Amino acid sequence: MPDQLPEIELEDRGSKGRYLLRGPDGAEAEMTFTKIGEHQIIIDHTEVPDAFRGQGAGLRLVTRAVEDARAAGKKIIPLCPFANAQFRRHQEWADVLKQ
């Protein structure tokens, strides 16, 4: 288990983007999103390779998206099954969930 988890990186490519964790061995955990207008994002995919299993990497990625959306006044549509499950578990995120 590493002493320190890597920082989450944000890659913004206009209408799409991704949050990314890079492992020391080159493995990448990612969560991709699509922007809908100025005020909504769709989380469409989360992928966590075996190198990150058991470290809460997927949850960290979704949490970062929630924090960023909250700070920017955006809503999230969690189409990705993993992200959707996390939103069901974390009622405190209801303020950024698109109803």
Side-chain angles (χ1 to χ4, degrees):
M1 185 100 176
D3 294 337
Q4 192 174 353
L5 287 169
E7 280 297 304
I8 294 174
E9 299 172 41
L10 170 60
E11 290 181 359
D12 192 329
R13 299 196 188 100
S15 65
K16 294 190 172 290
R18 68 181 184 151
Y19 289 96
L20 177 67
L21 279 166
R22 292 184 206 272
D25 58 355
E28 292 182 351
E30 71 169 2
M31 185 191 72
T32 61
F33 63 89
T34 303
K35 297 176 195 170
I36 305 298
E38 293 292 305
H39 305 291
Q40 296 178 55
I41 68 165
I42 293 173
I43 295 176
D44 40 36
H45 181 69
T46 306
E47 187 166 335
V48 178
D50 289 340
F52 284 99
R53 293 266 185 248
Q55 298 176 37
L59 176 58
R60 284 186 64 211
L61 292 168
V62 179
T63 301
R64 168 69 187 275
V66 167
E67 291 166 353
D68 288 358
R70 189 174 281 146
K74 294 183 178 180
K75 297 286 187 188
I76 295 176
I77 303 166
L79 290 186
C80 158
F82 175 80
N84 196 356
Q86 294 303 320
F87 268 90
R88 284 200 302 275
R89 282 191 198 115
H90 294 271
Q91 297 301 313
E92 70 274 18
W93 295 350
D95 60 309
V96 297
L97 179 62
K98 174 71 174 165
Q99 299 297 340

